[in-house]
Amino acid sequence: MASTPITIDTINPKVLECEYAVRGEIVILAQKIQEELKNNPNSHPFDEILYCNIGNPQSLSQQPITFFREVLALCDHPAILGKSETRVLFSGDSIKRASQILDQIPGRATGAYSHSQGIKGLRDTIAAGIEARDGFPVDPNDLFLTDGASPAVHMMMQLLIRSKKDGILCPIPQYPLYSASIALHGGTLVPYYLDEAAGWGMEVSELQKQLESAKSKGIIVRALVVINPGNPTGQVLAEKNQKEIVDFCKREGLVLLADEVYQENVYVPDKQFHSFKEVARSMGYGDKDIALVSFQSVSKGYYGECGKRGGYMEITGFSPEIREQIYKLASVNLCSNISGQILASLVMNPPKVGDESYDSYFAEKNAILSSLARRAQKLEDAFNGLEGVSCNRAEGAMYLFPRIVLPNKALEAAKEAKTAPDAFYARRLLNATGIVVVPGSGFGQVDGTWHIRCTILPQEDRISAIITRLTKFHTEFMDEFRG
Amino acid sequence: MAKAMDYENLNENVKKCQYAVRGELYLRASELQKEGKKIIFTNVGNPHALGQKPLTFPRQVVALCQAPFMLDDPNVGLLFPADAIAKAKHYLSLTSGGLGAYSDSRGLPGVRKEVAEFIERRDGYPSDPELIFLTDGASKGVMQILNTIIRGSSDGILVPVPQYPLYSATIALLGGSLVPYYLEETANWGLDIVNLRQSVAQARSQGITVRAMVIINPGNPTGQCLSEANLKEILRFCYQNNVVLLGDEVYQQNIYQDERPFISARKVLMDMGAPINKELQLVSFHTVSKGYWGECGQRGGYFEMTNIPPKAVEEIYKVASIALSPNVPAQIFMGLMVNPPKPGDISYERFIRESKGILESLRRRAQLMTDGFNSCRNVVCNFTEGAMYSFPQIRLPPKAIEAAQKAGKVADVFYCLKLLEATGISTVPGSGFGQKEGVFHLRTTILPAEEDMPAIMDSFKKFNDEFMEQYEDHKGYSRM
């Protein structure tokens, strides 16, 4: 008897249902083309694939922050800390910081499982960093260090979602971790639409409307996801807006899930990042008033350490019974990777003025952030210069999300090819130029509108060439399909 | 205020899930530690926490990968041997931007190739890197696979009793059904095929579809190493019953007897030839956390799929991609583990010395602990053939069980708490792993430093014998 218990027909249907376009179809095709180019460099009208689909800065030559890597290397191999030769290769303050960190780790053992919430001393450091940022105290016991922010998001979805009747309010467009995670945990995504015409702004009236609509369908809405700065949209919320959102959650009894992983990526002088914790506390709201989970990561910002998988969530406003359950969930996986934990503590407590490494640290940070701002502007201008394309300003994060008004002929061609029009465009773009973007349908968009998400991450000296290729492609595409 | 989240409206599956390894005993031990009491944590297989030193070579390589600016510095040779420098360059060349870039969601292709080569060397059969996924620890891999299999409560997963509670916890979280099969303590924790068949029959009579079978080889908490004959039986059983075999082989380097060396489930499967070798579905798990590496804190692991159809593999890949990628430093640890220094390499001598030192010491400690437990009143302990644990049976007198009930505790929890308070030894009660009704155990690790072992075993013996003195009335004991 043939034994095939795992087949496409017998696997968990939630697995089948969930989608994640950031590494979806277009990317798989790009990888295939990349292989073809390796074997035959002349097989395509371009030399290389340009991955603009994923917020992965160091894969596009962004350099890590030297001080952070010094400390991490010393923590990985503490045997060299006492050696005189080490002072030749490493800065004095990185040696000092590594020693400090190792002192906080039981037995100085970075290879041991830690406390399931993360090493206490590192949580103390992160708590102090959050307090310095916001001006409000943080209890280190509210922190859960995780392998990137994504596992923390999954944990919350697991706790909140009991059945398909449980709904989570998510922005449209959204980062598809949320839609995928909700699908995997068997819940319902309740969309609220960001307003493209108003710079992707968020209105509480829209939240209210969607909440009521969901309720009328028998959905129990449990939480509100806000991504600030936004992904893919890049908008940075105004404080006034944030206050309205906090009040909304408090009033409606929703857990506020604040994805703040791009908090260090703000490119416009007229906007500032304020954490939802800061906003809530500044309104006089404490643990008894609102349940808030704030997510941070080492993957973005100016540090861009995606491959390290470091991050945390700060949970406030939950009863001891719930905190026990959250702890229990965290304990099944034992702990997050120690190196990532250390990095999170460095990100939240970087070199200060007067430290030996401060000047070089600041120069590196500044160079990266100002370059990101310039690239954001250049690409935004380029998109806005294309026929039928309008692109909102990237106030923050790492992406542009231009809208493309496709001519009818293109829509028909897409229909015939059985793909969404934005996927059709993205595929053509890839085949003509090697540029990989993610079709807007992967993030959600208002029906009948089409977008692509493109990162601002390619190296600055490549941007002009990319713009040239993109412009040429788009012109030819429009020439082909203009009615 | 409307309550956003209270205990009542939490996901029921979360409430059901238990993980004793970091449960009540561990929390109490942590409390006592804060109060200043000296605690010996033997609750989890965490070698470096008990003084085992990391192997030098991998730490040198990963440190260099963390700070590649060192590679360009003329002084790097003062601190690092040439082969570590070369290895670091090799692994960096496999990444697309160093340690800080997301890798392929399945892990770096170059490392997966090295894993495949390792598997081929070990088993004598080729392995496909495309079917090897690196994960943030083997636990994540187990969760991913179980999440793929379990559709609902009528899907059952065969799990050994006693088992490592990752399985029971994950099955509960995913809303599946745990179908227990009992290992036979009197037969050195061997697997009884009759019992297995009975378990399946019973499950089916309750309307459960048995989808997969977990084997932990070497076993946790029991340490038994499966023989080739055993593995053949299991594979045939899975084949006949349309069940995927999940082979948790994370302790494959930890073998303390010579009669039953480690054989992978995959090797046995391939040896069995057609048609089973092309049809039986198997997922094998491994890690950098155990063995003689003990690099728990890195969170590095992999799973290898055999005979899983391409479309299902695609779906598993899709879910992996949502988490973007496993952490890159751990992937390098994995590469180094499957591809360690070779004879002739500068670092070879030291590497072998360190590795052998650890393994030989573990073997001695396994014996020390087994003998120590067996010398205690009312304690019977099977030899730790492999893995990292000792799982002695404690025959609790009826008065002790009564006292436990009065205190509102499960009997072995009661015993273990008393042991903790008296000696600082933090163990995990057998109830956390599953055991036959009325039979009690505790799990401890064999990891405390060798020089501390005699004192620890003396301390245990003193406590145990006093406990038995206190509660014995010579009338009867918990049965084996």
Side-chain angles (χ1 to χ4, degrees):
Chain A
M1 169 180 92
S3 167
T4 52
I6 296 183
T7 69
I8 200 73
D9 302 309
T10 61
I11 64 175
N12 181 359
K14 295 183 202 135
V15 166
L16 291 173
E17 195 190 312
C18 80
E19 299 282 315
Y20 187 70
V22 176
R23 280 200 157 169
E25 186 191 87
I26 300 282
V27 179
I28 293 171
L29 176 59
Q31 284 165 342
K32 193 163 151 284
I33 296 176
Q34 195 168 35
E35 273 304 304
E36 286 166 17
L37 280 172
K38 231 205 277 180
N39 300 328
N40 176 7
N42 296 317
S43 53
H44 291 270
F46 47 84
D47 294 328
E48 53 171 355
I49 296 288
L50 277 156
Y51 287 101
C52 299
N53 60 305
I54 182 173
N56 195 12
Q58 293 189 28
S59 74
L60 292 162
S61 301
Q62 179 175 308
Q63 294 303 300
I65 299 296
T66 305
F67 178 77
F68 294 167
R69 291 303 191 90
E70 284 181 299
V71 175
L72 288 172
L74 291 165
C75 290
D76 272 336
H77 191 40
I80 62 174
L81 268 174
K83 303 207 165 146
S84 54
E85 295 96 332
T86 304
R87 282 253 43 199
V88 173
L89 281 168
F90 291 84
S91 62
D93 54 352
S94 71
I95 293 172
K96 201 153 151 246
R97 178 72 83 98
S99 304
Q100 240 169 49
I101 288 169
L102 288 165
D103 283 342
Q104 294 174 320
I105 300 177
R108 296 166 80 83
T110 55
Y113 292 126
S114 71
H115 186 288
S116 295
Q117 284 178 245
I119 292 158
K120 177 66 173 34
L122 298 178
R123 281 186 279 134
D124 290 340
T125 304
I126 293 169
I130 299 170
E131 185 166 345
R133 180 196 69 195
D134 295 346
F136 292 97
V138 177
D139 181 354
N141 289 323
D142 289 347
L143 297 174
F144 284 74
L145 306 193
T146 48
D147 290 304
S150 300
V153 170
H154 277 289
M155 252 196 267
M156 291 313 301
M157 295 305 176
Q158 189 148 53
L159 280 154
L160 286 164
I161 297 172
R162 295 164 294 183
S163 72
K164 253 237 158 309
K165 284 221 180 78
D166 282 328
I168 311 285
L169 273 160
C170 287
I172 299 296
Q174 47 98 46
Y175 172 53
L177 162 67
Y178 294 97
S179 45
S181 179
I182 292 165
L184 274 174
H185 291 106
T188 295
L189 190 152
V190 178
Y192 66 89
Y193 291 85
L194 301 176
D195 189 353
E196 186 160 16
W200 295 116
M202 215 179 132
E203 289 305 316
V204 171
S205 54
E206 166 67 7
L207 294 178
Q208 197 73 55
K209 177 172 145 216
Q210 297 299 347
L211 174 66
E212 299 308 322
S213 165
K215 275 189 191 163
S216 72
K217 295 190 201 131
I219 307 260
I220 304 162
V221 180
R222 305 294 307 274
L224 169 70
V225 172
V226 181
I227 310 172
N228 182 44
N231 176 4
T233 54
Q235 92 283 15
V236 177
L237 294 173
E239 226 181 321
K240 175 167 169 291
N241 218 180
Q242 287 180 277
K243 288 186 175 162
E244 290 165 352
I245 292 163
V246 169
D247 267 327
F248 172 76
C249 289
K250 179 173 183 294
R251 204 169 55 236
E252 299 292 344
L254 302 177
V255 178
L256 177 51
L257 301 173
D259 178 338
E260 300 178 330
V261 304
Y262 295 100
Q263 55 187 263
E264 302 261 14
N265 301 101
V266 179
Y267 309 126
V268 294
D270 57 325
K271 288 285 185 75
Q272 241 196 321
F273 170 76
H274 293 281
S275 75
F276 269 100
K277 172 101 178 302
E278 183 205 329
V279 170
R281 293 291 179 269
S282 71
M283 294 166 79
Y285 293 151
D287 275 340
K288 291 191 175 42
D289 301 296
I290 181 165
L292 165 65
V293 183
S294 313
F295 304 95
Q296 166 61 319
S297 167
V298 305
S299 301
K300 312 300 176 189
Y302 54 88
Y303 21 92
E305 295 275 24
C306 302
K308 299 300 183 61
R309 313 318 276 117
Y312 68 78
M313 64 176 177
E314 182 190 1
I315 63 169
T316 57
F318 294 98
S319 68
E321 293 83 32
I322 299 201
R323 296 167 63 92
E324 240 179 76
Q325 297 300 313
I326 298 176
Y327 171 82
K328 184 176 68 175
L329 268 188
S331 77
V332 179
N333 195 47
L334 285 151
C335 72
S336 65
N337 86 77
I338 307 303
S339 188
Q341 292 186 32
I342 294 171
L343 183 52
S345 79
L346 292 168
V347 161
M348 296 310 287
N349 189 16
K352 307 267 181 302
V353 177
D355 291 352
E356 180 187 330
S357 297
Y358 179 75
D359 286 342
S360 55
Y361 153 79
F362 184 77
E364 288 173 0
K365 170 181 174 180
N366 197 42
I368 289 167
L369 287 175
S370 52
S371 172
L372 284 168
R374 287 191 299 268
R375 286 179 271 169
Q377 189 69 67
K378 277 212 182 93
L379 281 166
E380 180 202 324
D381 290 342
F383 278 119
N384 277 316
L386 300 176
E387 178 189 343
V389 179
S390 62
C391 188
N392 278 333
R393 196 170 62 149
E395 299 179 339
M398 288 179 176
Y399 315 96
L400 287 164
F401 199 62
R403 178 173 168 198
I404 309 177
V405 178
L406 293 163
N408 282 327
K409 260 178 88 181
L411 297 177
E412 276 157 34
K415 202 164 173 201
E416 252 184 72
K418 294 205 175 70
T419 34
D422 47 18
F424 180 78
Y425 181 92
R427 196 173 246 260
R428 284 293 205 98
L429 173 65
L430 169 60
N431 283 321
T433 66
I435 298 170
V436 189
V437 299
V438 188
S441 32
F443 304 88
Q445 54 207 346
V446 168
D447 261 342
T449 66
W450 313 107
H451 301 77
I452 54 169
R453 188 189 78 167
C454 179
T455 70
I456 59 173
L457 300 173
Q459 277 171 283
E460 203 165 352
D461 57 15
R462 298 294 213 64
I463 296 284
S464 305
I466 291 172
I467 291 173
T468 305
R469 270 197 256 174
L470 169 69
T471 308
K472 180 168 181 284
F473 160 76
H474 186 85
T475 310
E476 285 169 5
F477 183 93
M478 285 307 190
D479 284 341
E480 186 183 339
F481 292 105
R482 202 182 293 112
Chain B
M1 175 196 89
K3 257 302 184 50
M5 212 163 129
D6 56 35
Y7 188 77
E8 278 66 53
N9 62 24
L10 275 187
N11 180 358
E12 283 303 315
N13 290 343
V14 171
K15 290 187 228 176
K16 279 192 207 138
C17 134
Q18 296 296 322
Y19 185 70
V21 173
R22 282 214 161 158
E24 183 178 357
L25 250 301
Y26 171 71
L27 292 169
R28 181 69 186 129
S30 304
E31 259 169 46
L32 289 169
Q33 189 181 45
K34 276 201 200 108
E35 292 167 17
K37 190 175 171 78
K38 178 163 192 290
I39 303 293
I40 303 154
F41 284 98
T42 71
N43 59 303
V44 64
N46 198 9
H48 294 200
L50 289 155
Q52 180 177 311
K53 295 269 165 284
L55 298 168
T56 306
F57 186 71
R59 291 306 189 100
Q60 289 172 328
V61 174
V62 177
L64 284 164
C65 291
Q66 286 280 16
F69 61 80
M70 281 199 275
L71 293 168
D72 299 324
D73 194 305
N75 291 305
V76 67
L78 296 172
L79 284 174
F80 296 92
D83 56 353
I85 294 168
K87 259 300 173 69
K89 288 184 176 158
H90 162 71
Y91 283 109
L92 283 172
S93 76
L94 297 181
T95 67
S96 41
L99 299 189
Y102 292 128
S103 70
D104 183 303
S105 300
R106 297 161 293 188
L108 295 164
V111 173
R112 285 153 56 218
K113 184 159 166 289
E114 291 183 5
V115 172
E117 287 162 1
F118 153 75
I119 293 170
E120 181 165 353
R121 284 193 306 272
R122 182 194 68 191
D123 296 346
Y125 293 98
S127 174
D128 184 356
E130 295 298 291
L131 297 174
I132 295 168
F133 285 28
L134 307 185
T135 52
D136 283 315
S139 299
K140 277 272 156 70
V142 168
M143 291 184 204
Q144 275 169 249
I145 296 297
L146 286 174
N147 184 49
T148 305
I149 296 173
I150 296 173
R151 297 164 298 186
S153 58
S154 47
D155 278 336
I157 311 289
L158 276 162
V159 175
V161 178
Q163 47 99 45
Y164 173 52
L166 164 69
Y167 294 96
S168 45
T170 304
I171 293 164
L173 275 173
L174 296 172
S177 288
L178 191 152
V179 180
Y181 67 90
Y182 289 83
L183 300 176
E184 187 45 62
E185 187 160 13
T186 54
N188 226 30
W189 294 117
L191 190 141
D192 176 7
I193 198 87
V194 173
N195 180 275
L196 191 52
R197 289 190 212 285
Q198 279 172 344
S199 299
V200 172
Q202 184 172 30
R204 284 177 178 157
S205 72
Q206 291 165 342
I208 293 178
T209 310
V210 178
R211 304 290 310 283
M213 174 175 178
V214 174
I215 57 169
I216 310 174
N217 181 39
N220 176 4
T222 54
Q224 91 284 13
C225 297
L226 293 172
S227 67
E228 193 176 343
N230 248 169
L231 283 164
K232 277 205 177 111
E233 249 183 337
I234 291 164
L235 286 160
R236 249 182 246 124
F237 172 83
C238 288
Y239 188 58
Q240 286 158 1
N241 288 277
N242 223 12
V243 153
V244 189
L245 181 60
L246 305 179
D248 178 337
E249 300 175 333
V250 301
Y251 295 101
Q252 57 186 269
Q253 289 172 356
N254 302 101
I255 309 290
Y256 311 126
Q257 40 69 39
D258 302 316
E259 291 78 37
R260 270 175 307 287
F262 173 74
I263 313 178
S264 76
R266 192 162 189 275
K267 177 178 197 308
V268 177
L269 174 63
M270 293 303 145
D271 282 347
M272 288 166 85
I276 190 177
N277 66 348
K278 290 239 158 33
E279 293 178 1
L280 189 287
Q281 293 188 326
L282 166 67
V283 185
S284 314
F285 302 89
H286 198 10
T287 181
V288 304
S289 300
K290 311 298 177 190
Y292 52 90
W293 282 60
E295 291 278 10
C296 302
Q298 308 301 339
R299 314 317 276 113
Y302 75 74
F303 61 84
E304 180 200 16
M305 296 175 280
T306 303
N307 298 326
I308 308 290
K311 281 210 162 70
V313 173
E314 252 171 62
E315 293 296 317
I316 294 169
Y317 180 12
K318 180 182 75 180
V319 175
S321 73
I322 300 168
L324 286 151
S325 96
N327 89 73
V328 179
Q331 297 186 42
I332 295 177
F333 271 97
M334 181 58 79
L336 290 163
M337 187 178 86
V338 299
N339 218 355
K342 296 185 185 29
D345 292 353
I346 298 168
S347 300
Y348 177 73
E349 294 294 315
R350 183 175 198 174
F351 183 83
I352 284 299
R353 199 179 358 113
E354 289 173 352
S355 311
K356 268 199 169 158
I358 290 167
L359 278 175
E360 284 165 5
S361 172
L362 282 168
R363 193 180 264 237
R364 289 191 297 269
R365 283 180 275 171
Q367 194 67 63
L368 257 166
M369 220 168 204
T370 305
D371 292 345
F373 282 127
N374 278 319
S375 77
C376 296
R377 218 156 125 186
N378 301 332
V379 180
V380 176
C381 190
N382 280 333
F383 176 62
T384 296
E385 298 183 350
M388 285 179 176
Y389 311 95
S390 194
F391 199 62
Q393 183 190 153
I394 319 285
R395 293 161 155 177
L396 292 169
K399 267 173 79 181
I401 299 174
E402 265 166 51
Q405 266 171 351
K406 270 216 187 85
K409 300 271 177 221
V410 175
D412 49 19
V413 174
F414 180 77
Y415 178 93
C416 290
L417 281 168
K418 292 253 174 230
L419 169 66
L420 171 64
E421 314 255 348
T423 66
I425 300 171
S426 175
T427 58
V428 189
S431 40
F433 303 88
Q435 49 205 354
K436 285 199 172 133
E437 183 79 41
V439 184
F440 306 105
H441 303 80
L442 57 80
R443 188 189 81 166
T444 177
T445 66
I446 60 171
L447 300 174
E450 207 169 336
E451 60 264 25
D452 296 336
M453 275 291 200
I456 291 171
M457 294 316 290
D458 279 343
S459 178
F460 174 83
K461 191 178 170 116
K462 182 165 180 287
F463 158 80
N464 176 75
D465 292 357
E466 281 168 10
F467 181 96
M468 295 306 168
E469 192 59 51
Q470 186 187 351
Y471 290 103
E472 259 180 345
D473 60 4
H474 307 283
K475 281 208 188 118
Y477 302 88
S478 58
R479 281 163 34 260
M480 181 117 124

